[in-house]
Amino acid sequence: GLIFSCSEDNKKLLPNSSGNINNISVVINNELWDGEVGDVIRENLERPIYGLPQIEPVFTLNHIPSKIFSGFATKSRTILKVAIGQKEAVKNLTNQYASPQHIVYITAKNKEKISELIIENLPSIYSSLYFSELKEKQRRISKNTNKSPSLKNNLGLSLKFPSAYRIAKEDSNFIWIRRDIESGSVNLSISKVKKGNGEIFSLRDSISKAHIPGPVENTHMSTDFSYKPITQEVSFGNIKTIESRGLWEVENQFMAGPFLNYYIEAANDEVIILDGFVYSPGTNKREYIFELEAIIRSLKL
């Protein structure tokens, strides 16, 4: 069998990995990739992200046939390696051939068993890939962050966000940061409100109405309920929060896009709301929403 050395120690000697965020190299022989095993991988890892106006997959998969997995191919930052072998295993390996690098290694004695193993372990395979990408995105962000003390001074909290973002608006309980992009903007608003001022979406819309104007007078961003927003409970470390994903619109202005909202019950009967939204018509938005999630998950209260 294969013996894996834990290669944390020789990090210094490893070459740098390469690969865009949310791109996964799938190392698997052609026969498996073209059959049911490949179908299972594609169905589950290329599933559409909820809450984007266009269909975009969670991950972009690049197939590397096992027989050519050597040299440059081994430097991929994120790898899913699937092979037939005597043992049944799903393993997470770190910095095997390059650094930083995350490899999910799946092996079983025949193709039926491999499919079963992937389906059985899907939640953990999926989340280990997803969170490894988020961690890498945060590592990249932390190389060049905006050092403004506004968040600390106004809201008493901190976030790590890229220096490409500027503070567009601030007062003692509201801050809006934004990054201008060629096709529009990537935005994040952070608000503190008293508890009991309404449920998540009515709060979201009243904050937008107060602070985030549309392109013409008396217009503002609001939640688009024709596309049902979905909510779930998530935690960042010890912060419990309700995450919502959906679409926003500015009525009659043909403006729309995705949003990502986090609702956090804080001390003193206060609620902190972080709302990321993207305006970028006609372009892919996966990476913008992912960047906002990486920023929001760096929250320290």
Side-chain angles (χ1 to χ4, degrees):
L2 292 168
I3 296 168
F4 292 113
S5 60
C6 178
S7 44
E8 283 294 346
D9 313 334
N10 56 11
K11 216 175 184 166
K12 305 266 180 302
L13 313 173
L14 289 168
N16 289 335
S17 58
S18 66
N20 293 335
I21 300 284
N22 294 325
N23 278 251
I24 298 173
S25 296
V26 184
V27 179
I28 182 173
N29 72 30
N30 292 340
E31 187 201 347
L32 290 176
W33 181 245
D34 295 335
E36 188 201 337
V37 174
D39 289 344
V40 167
I41 292 169
R42 285 183 291 271
E43 258 161 50
N44 291 295
L45 298 185
E46 289 185 329
R47 62 172 176 236
I49 298 169
Y50 194 87
L52 294 187
Q54 297 103 330
I55 289 183
E56 295 183 59
V58 176
F59 300 114
T60 301
L61 305 182
N62 310 306
H63 175 218
I64 300 178
S66 310
K67 59 173 188 290
I68 62 165
F69 182 63
S70 63
F72 184 69
T74 62
K75 311 293 183 287
S76 291
R77 191 175 48 76
T78 307
I79 295 172
L80 174 63
K81 199 167 190 280
V82 180
I84 288 176
Q86 286 316 300
K87 273 177 127 163
E88 224 173 80
V90 177
K91 294 184 194 172
N92 284 289
L93 306 163
T94 309
N95 302 344
Q96 204 60 33
Y97 308 100
S99 172
Q101 186 177 56
H102 179 74
I103 301 175
V104 176
Y105 179 72
I106 299 169
T107 168
K109 58 179 184 292
N110 58 41
K111 57 178 192 276
E112 291 73 29
K113 274 276 179 251
I114 288 180
S115 294
E116 261 173 53
L117 208 53
I118 292 173
I119 290 162
E120 256 168 54
N121 291 279
L122 194 68
S124 66
I125 292 167
Y126 179 90
S127 61
S128 90
L129 290 167
Y130 192 83
F131 286 109
S132 145
E133 295 305 286
L134 263 173
K135 210 173 112 189
E136 171 62 12
K137 183 68 187 175
Q138 289 177 326
R139 187 187 73 85
R140 294 181 184 189
I141 288 171
S142 66
K143 288 181 160 178
N144 190 4
T145 57
N146 182 311
K147 302 285 188 284
S148 163
S150 289
L151 278 163
K152 201 82 187 138
N153 296 347
N154 287 315
L155 299 167
L157 49 85
S158 75
L159 284 173
K160 283 188 177 170
F161 57 95
S163 55
Y165 285 74
R166 61 187 168 83
I167 290 166
K169 194 171 181 180
E170 61 177 306
D171 65 35
S172 61
N173 54 15
F174 175 84
I175 286 186
W176 173 8
I177 63 170
R178 68 182 293 172
R179 164 161 95 87
D180 296 307
I181 52 178
E182 218 170 294
S183 51
S185 60
V186 184
N187 304 269
L188 175 59
S189 76
I190 305 104
S191 319
K192 220 176 223 182
V193 297
K194 273 279 172 247
K195 208 168 148 180
N197 274 350
E199 54 80 50
I200 290 169
F201 300 111
S202 62
L203 272 175
R204 181 175 193 274
D205 289 355
S206 66
I207 290 165
S208 304
K209 192 171 184 168
H211 296 288
I212 297 172
V216 301
E217 217 171 327
N218 296 325
T219 63
H220 67 93
M221 173 177 72
S222 60
T223 304
D224 174 3
F225 288 106
S226 64
Y227 181 102
K228 188 175 159 34
I230 55 165
T231 58
Q232 59 170 349
E233 288 183 23
V234 299
S235 303
F236 331 142
N238 56 0
I239 302 173
K240 285 192 170 54
T241 155
I242 298 170
E243 174 193 271
S244 308
R245 291 172 188 264
L247 298 180
W248 60 269
E249 61 179 350
V250 177
E251 265 180 70
N252 307 325
Q253 293 301 309
F254 304 107
M255 284 178 83
F259 74 82
L260 175 65
N261 179 286
Y262 292 87
Y263 174 99
I264 300 162
E265 297 193 352
N268 314 327
D269 265 349
E270 287 181 320
V271 171
I272 295 166
I273 294 158
L274 297 101
D275 194 80
F277 60 98
V278 180
Y279 177 59
S280 181
T283 68
N284 284 345
K285 299 173 188 58
R286 172 178 84 181
E287 297 315 318
Y288 299 137
I289 281 287
F290 195 75
E291 175 169 286
L292 289 167
E293 184 179 355
I295 293 168
I296 293 167
R297 282 180 175 274
S298 72
L299 177 68
K300 297 272 183 289
L301 296 181

